[in-house]
Amino acid sequence: MFRNTMPRYEVLSEDAMATLDKGWRRLMSEIGVEFMDERALDLFRKAGQKVEGNAVFLDPDFVLEQVAKAPAEFDLQARNPENNVHIGGDSMAFGAVYGPPFVREGDVRRDGTMNDFRDFARLAQSFSVLDSAGGVVTEPNDTPLDSRHLDMTYALQTLTDKIYMGNVVSGVNAADTIRMTEILFGSREAIEETPALISLINCNSPLRWDDRMLEAQFEYTAANQPVVLTPFIMMGAMSPVTIPAALVQQITEALSGIALSQLIRPGAPVVFGSFLTNIDMQSGSPTFGTPESGIGLLCTGQIARHFNLPFRTGGGLTSSQVPDAQAGYEALMTLMPTFLAGANWVMHSAGWLEGGLVAGFEKFVIDAQLVEMLQHEFTPMEIDEASLAFDAHQEVGHGGHFLGAMHTMERFRTCFYRPFLNSSDNYERWMRNGAKDTATRAGEIYKKKLEDFEAPPLDDAIRQELEEYVTRRRAELGD
Amino acid sequence: MFRNTMPRYEVLSEDAMATLDKGWRRLMSEIGVEFMDERALDLFRKAGQKVEGNAVFLDPDFVLEQVAKAPAEFDLQARNPENNVHIGGDSMAFGAVYGPPFVREGDVRRDGTMNDFRDFARLAQSFSVLDSAGGVVTEPNDTPLDSRHLDMTYALQTLTDKIYMGNVVSGVNAADTIRMTEILFGSREAIEETPALISLINCNSPLRWDDRMLEAQFEYTAANQPVVLTPFIMMGAMSPVTIPAALVQQITEALSGIALSQLIRPGAPVVFGSFLTNIDMQSGSPTFGTPESGIGLLCTGQIARHFNLPFRTGGGLTSSQVPDAQAGYEALMTLMPTFLAGANWVMHSAGWLEGGLVAGFEKFVIDAQLVEMLQHEFTPMEIDEASLAFDAHQEVGHGGHFLGAMHTMERFRTCFYRPFLNSSDNYERWMRNGAKDTATRAGEIYKKKLEDFEAPPLDDAIRQELEEYVTRRRAELGD
C-alpha cells in the first residue's frame, strides 16, 4: 500500500487551532450532541455526562480522555495478506465510490444492479492503486432490500481479496457482515485480534447520531472492527456557511462519536471522518471540488493529527454528470489536497460522478489514473551525487540531447511514471487511432479489465460456508 | 492582482538544497554555458570569466554577485493603472498561452490567424483573473512573417489595457516592441522608470543561449524591461532523466542568463524562468501535468527563493488534443503546484492544448475557471469567534438545517465562491438544459464574451501614432 512520506501542507496557525479548540469545547458542552439510541445515552449517563432527552452535553476533557484511548494507527487484514492495509501515520488507503443508486456507462445513465456491483468490485480488484472496493460501490436495485447486504458482502469477499467495508443500514446487517467476515477469516477471534472490516458511520449533521447508524456502530465497535465516525457536512445546509464553524462542528461530531466507541469498547479502532463540502447557495445543490472543500480538507488533516487520530477524507468528487473536463478537474481539486493532507482512509477514490448519485465506469478509470499519478508525485525523489548526472553532461555538452546518453540508457525504462490513460500522441497519430477522447479511452480500458478478470482463488469450503450463510439468512429475512 | 499569502509547500530538505548547490557550481564552472553572441562573450571576458569559443566557464561566486544585483521584486505598469502588476514576493500574475501555431474551436483544429490572435487578446482582456494576454497567444500565420510582431503588439496594446509581453524573435523585433511601448506610455524614460514589457528568453537547453534570443535580451535589458530567463527542459531530451540533474541544469542556465543581464545593465529586472517537464521515453513525445513536472515545479519555487529571485513556472499544461477530462486534470496537475509554489509570473495560464501546439478557445475558458477557483482556495480564511457561528447553532440545534438561519441569511450571497463554468445542476435540470458537457458550456461562454467585448478606451493621438509606426515599419521591413 501507499505511504506518503512527503511533507504535509498545513494551513492552520497555532492561534487558529486554539480558536477552533475553544469552539468545539463550547459547542460540545453547551449545545451538545444527540444520540438516538438508549444504550448510547446510558453509557454517557453512567460515565457522568449530562443527558437531557437525547442530547448529551459532553465535558470536553472527558471526551479527550476517551479519544486518547483510541489507537493512533491500526492494521486491517485482507484475505490476501499482500493486500493488508495500515490505517494511520503515513499510510494512505484508497477505496472506491460508496453509495450511488445509479450507474453511468457511456451515454447511458440507469439504476445500478447487482451485476454492476460485481463489475465495480472486479474493477477495484483489478486496479492495484485501490486498496478496497469499499462497500456499497453501487446500490444493487434489482435485489431485495432486506438481504442485499448479504449479496454485496459475498461479492466483495469473493471477487476481491482486498479489505472491504461493513454494511451499516442496521445492527442486523452489521451483525451479518461480521458473521460472514468471521467465516472468511476463520473465527471471531481472528478478526477481533486484527480487524478485517472498516465501516462508515455517518452523522446526521448537525449534531445528531441516528439510531440505525448507532446500532451498526455498537456491533462493529463491540467486535473491535474500526468505524469511521463521519460528520456529513454540506456547508450552508448541515452547518453554518463559514468554514471555521463547519470545522468546529466536525470536531464536535466526530469526537462525540469516537467517545461513544471508547465507552463501548475502550481501545477500539476508530477513524476521524470528514465529508465536507458546500452547497450552491442559489440553487441549494451540493457542489464538489470547491475551494472551500479543499481548504476544509487541508484543515481536517491538521485537526486529526492534533488529536492523534487517523482520518478519512477526500476522494475524486465532482458534480459533473459526465466524465468530462469538469469531472477531471473537480476530482483532482479534491484528490490533490487529499495527498497534501495525507488522508489515511480515502473513500470515493474511484467512480464518483454527479454528486455521488452515480457510479461511473469511465470515471472509475479516470480516478484510478489520478490516484496513481499522485502516488508517484508524492514519492520523495532521491537527491545525491549520482542523481546529478554530471557524467551525462560531460557526454552531451552544449545544445545536444540526452536521448542516447549512457545515463539515460541505464534508466529510461523506469525513470518516469507512465500513465495508462493519458494520451500524449501527436495530432496525426491521435487522429489515425480514432480521435478518441479520454472518456472513450477509459471505456475501452474498463471493458478490457472486465474481460480479462479472473477472480482471486478462494478455498471451496469457505466459499460453501459463505453461500450457505447467505441462503439461510436470506430465507430468515423473508426474501 | 492576486497575492498568495498561504504557506508555500516546500519539498527540498536543507541537505537536498546543499547537494543541488554543489551541483550547479560544478556544472557552471566545469562544463560552462555557451552564449552564441559576441557581445555577451565580451562582457563575460571583461568581467574576468574564462571564455573558450562560445563556452563561458563561470565562477559560481561571480555569478552570485551578479544575481544579487537583480531586484527581488519589481513593478510592471499597464496602460490602465488598475491592471499594473507586481512581480515577486507573494504576487502571482497570470498570462495566457504563448506560442501555439494552431487553434482549436470545437471539433475544428486549424492554423491560427490574426483574427484568432485578436479574439484571444479580447478573451484575456475579458477574464479578470488574467493579468495579461501574454505575447504570442497564437501564431498569426496569415500575416507576413517579418512584420507580424508589429500587428501582434498593436493588438495587445489596443484590445487590452493589461501588461503584455515583448517579441523575442530578433533584436530588431525587440527594438520595435520597445519603441511601440514608448509610444503607448509616452517616452523611453517612462518605461525605463517603471517597466511595461516582460519578455521570454528561452535557453536552447542544454547549456546554450542562442543568438536571436540574446539579441532580444540585450535590447530589453538595456531598456530596463524584465526578461524571463527560461531553461526549456523536457527531461530525457534536453536534460538527464533525473529530476535533481534537471534542477541543477535549470539553475545553471537561469543564473548564467541572469548574470548576463546584470552585466548588460546592473540592477535590471529579471525573472528566474522554468519550463520543466519530461518526455515519454517510449515515444519521445513531451508529456505535461506529470508527477515529475509537479515535483520539479515545487522545487523550482524553493530554489528561486533560495536565490532571492522572482520566478516563472506553471500554467494549464496538457498533452490532450481536446478539452476533455485529461485536459482538465493535467491542467490542474500543473496549476495546483503553481499555487503551492507561489509562482510569480505564470505563463500559459489559459488556452494551452496539445502540448502547446494549439491555443484552444474552450480550454481558455476552462483554465480561467481553474485559476479563479485556485485564487479563492489560496486566500486565507478568517478564523475568529464570529466565524464560529455559535449563535447559528443555538438557532438550529440538532438535526436541523442552516438554510434559513440568520447567520446564513447575512452571508449567503458571498460566503462561497461561485464558478462560472462548472455545473452542479441535477440530472433532470441538466438534461432539460441540453445535456451540455463542460467543453460545450465553455464554447458558449467564450462566444458570449467575444460578442459582448468592448475594447478599452485609448487616446486617439496615441492610436494614430502606433498605426503610423506599424505602417512605416511594415514598409521598411518589406511586407
Side-chain angles (χ1 to χ4, degrees):
Chain A
M1 68 173 304
F2 180 68
R3 286 187 59 224
N4 180 347
T5 55
M6 293 279 276
R8 300 294 173 267
Y9 184 59
E10 304 210 318
V11 301
L12 291 172
S13 67
E14 269 183 48
D15 276 0
M17 191 67 91
T19 303
L20 296 181
D21 253 329
K22 266 171 61 182
W24 76 260
R25 284 172 166 270
R26 183 172 186 198
L27 195 57
M28 185 80 92
S29 54
E30 295 187 26
I31 306 282
V33 181
E34 281 191 355
F35 290 81
M36 313 306 276
D37 182 292
E38 280 306 321
R39 287 177 298 172
L41 298 174
D42 272 352
L43 284 172
F44 282 120
R45 215 178 275 118
K46 280 180 191 148
Q49 302 307 295
K50 181 170 136 197
V51 178
E52 287 179 8
N54 285 95
V56 183
F57 301 86
L58 287 144
D59 170 13
D61 292 321
F62 164 80
V63 169
L64 291 181
E65 276 167 38
Q66 302 310 310
V67 166
K69 293 177 187 166
E73 311 185 23
F74 57 85
D75 291 316
L76 271 179
Q77 58 175 325
R79 70 174 172 94
N80 178 350
E82 286 178 17
N83 295 329
N84 288 349
V85 156
H86 186 74
I87 304 280
D90 286 338
S91 297
M92 295 182 71
F94 298 87
V97 64
Y98 184 104
F102 303 104
V103 299
R104 177 178 283 275
E105 42 179 352
D107 290 337
V108 178
R109 177 192 188 268
R110 54 175 171 72
D111 283 358
T113 66
M114 195 62 219
N115 261 342
D116 293 319
F117 186 100
R118 291 192 193 101
D119 278 345
F120 279 116
R122 291 179 180 111
L123 289 178
Q125 175 69 12
S126 302
F127 281 101
S128 62
V129 285
L130 293 178
D131 297 284
S132 174
V136 187
V137 61
T138 187
E139 198 64 53
N141 296 287
D142 55 344
T143 58
L145 199 59
D146 282 343
S147 63
R148 68 173 59 150
H149 63 288
L150 304 169
D151 302 307
M152 290 192 279
T153 303
Y154 179 78
L156 295 169
Q157 292 180 317
T158 54
L159 295 174
T160 87
D161 58 7
K162 302 182 172 182
I163 64 155
Y164 52 92
M165 298 184 70
N167 194 283
V168 295
V169 169
S170 65
V172 170
N173 285 13
D176 276 330
T177 312
I178 293 168
R179 184 67 199 105
M180 288 177 74
T181 303
E182 291 167 18
I183 294 171
L184 190 67
F185 288 87
S187 69
R188 172 87 170 196
E189 292 69 39
I191 65 165
E192 286 209 23
E193 192 174 316
T194 307
L197 274 169
I198 184 165
S199 301
L200 176 66
I201 305 297
N202 273 337
C203 189
N204 181 357
S205 303
L207 302 173
R208 173 182 290 162
W209 294 97
D210 275 341
D211 50 353
R212 288 170 154 253
M213 284 278 171
L214 288 173
E215 281 178 28
Q217 181 181 357
F218 268 90
E219 291 292 336
Y220 287 120
T221 293
N224 204 37
Q225 306 304 298
V227 287
V228 186
L229 285 311
T230 304
F232 186 86
I233 297 181
M234 295 187 181
M235 292 183 274
M238 292 88 148
S239 85
V241 294
T242 37
I243 301 175
L247 293 173
V248 159
Q249 181 181 325
Q250 181 176 270
I251 297 170
T252 306
E253 293 174 349
L255 295 193
S256 70
I258 289 167
L260 174 60
S261 267
Q262 299 310 312
L263 292 180
I264 298 171
R265 178 168 173 150
V270 294
V271 176
F272 184 106
S274 171
F275 183 91
L276 180 59
T277 189
N278 56 293
I279 61 170
D280 176 333
M281 295 305 289
Q282 311 243 345
S283 68
S285 298
T287 56
F288 297 96
T290 62
E292 293 80 7
S293 66
I295 290 298
L297 201 166
L298 294 170
C299 295
T300 296
Q302 206 170 338
I303 288 166
R305 282 187 288 279
H306 177 66
F307 293 112
N308 202 26
L309 291 167
F311 70 108
R312 169 250 160 157
T313 183
L317 313 184
T318 178
S319 298
S320 189
Q321 299 283 331
V322 286
D324 61 356
Q326 179 184 334
Y329 64 67
E330 283 187 338
L332 188 56
M333 278 290 279
T334 306
L335 277 173
M336 180 81 86
T338 302
F339 277 77
L340 288 166
N344 301 120
W345 173 236
V346 186
M347 293 177 64
H348 311 307
S349 299
W352 171 294
L353 260 185
E354 208 193 300
L357 288 176
V358 168
F361 280 98
E362 290 83 1
K363 179 67 166 22
F364 198 100
V365 177
I366 289 169
D367 291 339
Q369 175 65 87
L370 287 175
V371 171
E372 199 169 286
M373 287 164 74
L374 289 167
Q375 289 190 354
H376 280 264
E377 185 153 339
F378 283 79
T379 299
M381 59 180 166
E382 273 182 45
I383 303 193
D384 53 21
E385 280 291 311
S387 69
L388 299 188
F390 186 75
D391 52 334
H393 281 290
Q394 284 179 310
E395 187 180 341
V396 171
H398 311 96
H401 70 75
F402 290 82
L403 293 169
M406 181 73 79
H407 182 268
T408 305
M409 298 310 281
E410 286 167 3
R411 289 167 179 78
F412 80 98
R413 283 184 200 283
T414 56
C415 55
F416 302 133
Y417 167 66
R418 279 209 100 203
F420 54 81
L421 172 64
N422 308 348
S423 165
S424 60
D425 284 349
N426 64 34
Y427 179 65
E428 290 69 25
R429 190 177 159 83
W430 182 77
M431 287 296 284
R432 219 163 43 232
N433 286 340
K436 292 168 190 162
D437 71 3
T438 306
T440 305
R441 297 195 304 275
E444 294 177 349
I445 289 171
Y446 88 76
K447 282 170 194 154
K448 182 77 169 59
K449 288 262 187 201
L450 291 178
E451 263 175 46
D452 295 349
F453 182 77
E454 285 183 40
L458 178 63
D459 184 272
D460 280 342
I462 293 176
R463 182 187 298 271
Q464 199 181 332
E465 197 179 342
L466 287 171
E467 282 172 7
E468 284 166 8
Y469 186 86
V470 169
T471 305
R472 176 169 65 78
R473 285 292 294 148
R474 195 194 311 282
E476 288 170 6
L477 291 164
D479 286 337
Chain B
M1 67 172 307
F2 180 68
R3 286 187 61 226
N4 179 349
T5 56
M6 292 280 276
R8 299 295 173 264
Y9 184 60
E10 304 210 318
V11 301
L12 291 172
S13 66
E14 269 184 47
D15 276 359
M17 191 68 91
T19 304
L20 296 181
D21 253 329
K22 266 170 64 180
W24 77 260
R25 285 173 165 268
R26 184 173 185 196
L27 196 57
M28 184 81 93
S29 54
E30 295 186 27
I31 306 282
V33 181
E34 282 191 357
F35 290 82
M36 313 307 276
D37 183 293
E38 280 306 322
R39 288 177 296 173
L41 298 173
D42 273 352
L43 283 173
F44 282 121
R45 213 179 276 116
K46 280 181 192 147
Q49 303 304 295
K50 182 171 137 195
V51 178
E52 286 180 9
N54 285 96
V56 184
F57 300 87
L58 288 145
D59 170 11
D61 292 320
F62 164 80
V63 169
L64 290 181
E65 276 167 38
Q66 302 311 309
V67 167
K69 294 177 187 164
E73 311 184 22
F74 57 86
D75 290 317
L76 272 178
Q77 57 174 325
R79 71 173 171 95
N80 177 349
E82 286 179 17
N83 294 329
N84 287 350
V85 156
H86 186 74
I87 303 281
D90 287 338
S91 296
M92 295 182 72
F94 299 87
V97 65
Y98 183 103
F102 303 104
V103 299
R104 177 178 282 277
E105 44 178 349
D107 290 337
V108 179
R109 177 191 187 269
R110 55 176 172 72
D111 284 358
T113 66
M114 195 63 218
N115 261 342
D116 293 319
F117 186 99
R118 291 191 194 101
D119 279 344
F120 280 116
R122 291 178 181 113
L123 289 178
Q125 175 70 13
S126 302
F127 281 101
S128 62
V129 286
L130 293 177
D131 297 285
S132 174
V136 187
V137 63
T138 187
E139 197 64 53
N141 296 287
D142 56 344
T143 59
L145 200 58
D146 282 343
S147 63
R148 67 172 62 150
H149 63 287
L150 304 169
D151 302 308
M152 289 191 281
T153 304
Y154 179 77
L156 294 168
Q157 292 180 317
T158 53
L159 296 174
T160 87
D161 58 8
K162 302 183 173 183
I163 63 156
Y164 53 92
M165 298 184 70
N167 195 283
V168 294
V169 169
S170 67
V172 170
N173 285 14
D176 276 331
T177 312
I178 293 167
R179 185 66 200 105
M180 288 176 75
T181 304
E182 290 168 17
I183 294 170
L184 190 66
F185 288 87
S187 69
R188 172 89 172 195
E189 293 67 39
I191 65 166
E192 287 209 24
E193 190 173 317
T194 306
L197 274 169
I198 183 165
S199 301
L200 176 67
I201 305 297
N202 273 337
C203 189
N204 180 357
S205 303
L207 302 171
R208 175 181 288 162
W209 293 98
D210 275 342
D211 50 352
R212 286 169 157 256
M213 283 280 170
L214 288 173
E215 282 178 26
Q217 180 182 356
F218 268 90
E219 292 292 336
Y220 287 121
T221 295
N224 205 36
Q225 306 305 297
V227 286
V228 186
L229 284 311
T230 304
F232 186 86
I233 297 182
M234 296 189 182
M235 293 184 272
M238 292 87 149
S239 85
V241 293
T242 36
I243 301 173
L247 294 173
V248 160
Q249 181 181 324
Q250 181 175 271
I251 296 170
T252 307
E253 294 174 350
L255 294 194
S256 70
I258 289 168
L260 175 60
S261 267
Q262 299 311 311
L263 292 179
I264 297 169
R265 177 168 175 150
V270 293
V271 176
F272 184 106
S274 171
F275 183 90
L276 179 59
T277 189
N278 54 293
I279 61 169
D280 177 333
M281 294 305 289
Q282 311 243 345
S283 68
S285 299
T287 55
F288 297 95
T290 63
E292 292 80 8
S293 66
I295 290 297
L297 200 167
L298 295 171
C299 294
T300 296
Q302 207 170 339
I303 288 166
R305 281 187 288 278
H306 177 66
F307 293 113
N308 202 26
L309 290 166
F311 70 109
R312 168 250 161 158
T313 183
L317 313 184
T318 179
S319 298
S320 190
Q321 299 283 331
V322 286
D324 62 355
Q326 180 183 334
Y329 64 69
E330 283 187 339
L332 188 55
M333 276 290 279
T334 306
L335 277 173
M336 180 81 84
T338 302
F339 277 77
L340 287 166
N344 301 119
W345 172 234
V346 186
M347 295 177 63
H348 311 306
S349 299
W352 171 293
L353 259 187
E354 208 191 301
L357 288 175
V358 167
F361 281 97
E362 290 85 359
K363 179 67 163 30
F364 198 100
V365 177
I366 289 169
D367 291 340
Q369 175 65 87
L370 287 176
V371 171
E372 199 169 285
M373 286 165 75
L374 289 167
Q375 289 189 355
H376 281 264
E377 185 153 339
F378 283 79
T379 299
M381 58 181 167
E382 273 183 45
I383 303 194
D384 53 21
E385 280 291 311
S387 69
L388 301 188
F390 187 76
D391 52 334
H393 282 290
Q394 284 181 310
E395 186 179 344
V396 171
H398 311 95
H401 69 76
F402 292 81
L403 294 168
M406 182 71 81
H407 181 269
T408 305
M409 299 309 283
E410 285 166 5
R411 289 166 178 79
F412 80 98
R413 283 184 200 283
T414 55
C415 55
F416 304 132
Y417 168 65
R418 277 212 101 202
F420 54 80
L421 173 63
N422 308 348
S423 164
S424 58
D425 283 349
N426 64 34
Y427 179 66
E428 290 68 27
R429 190 178 159 83
W430 181 76
M431 288 297 284
R432 216 162 47 232
N433 286 342
K436 292 168 191 163
D437 70 3
T438 307
T440 305
R441 296 194 304 273
E444 293 177 351
I445 290 171
Y446 87 77
K447 283 170 194 154
K448 181 77 169 59
K449 288 262 187 200
L450 290 178
E451 264 175 45
D452 295 349
F453 181 79
E454 285 183 39
L458 177 65
D459 184 276
D460 281 341
I462 293 176
R463 181 187 299 271
Q464 197 181 334
E465 198 178 344
L466 287 171
E467 282 172 7
E468 284 166 7
Y469 186 85
V470 170
T471 305
R472 175 168 67 76
R473 286 292 295 146
R474 195 194 311 281
E476 288 169 6
L477 291 164
D479 286 336

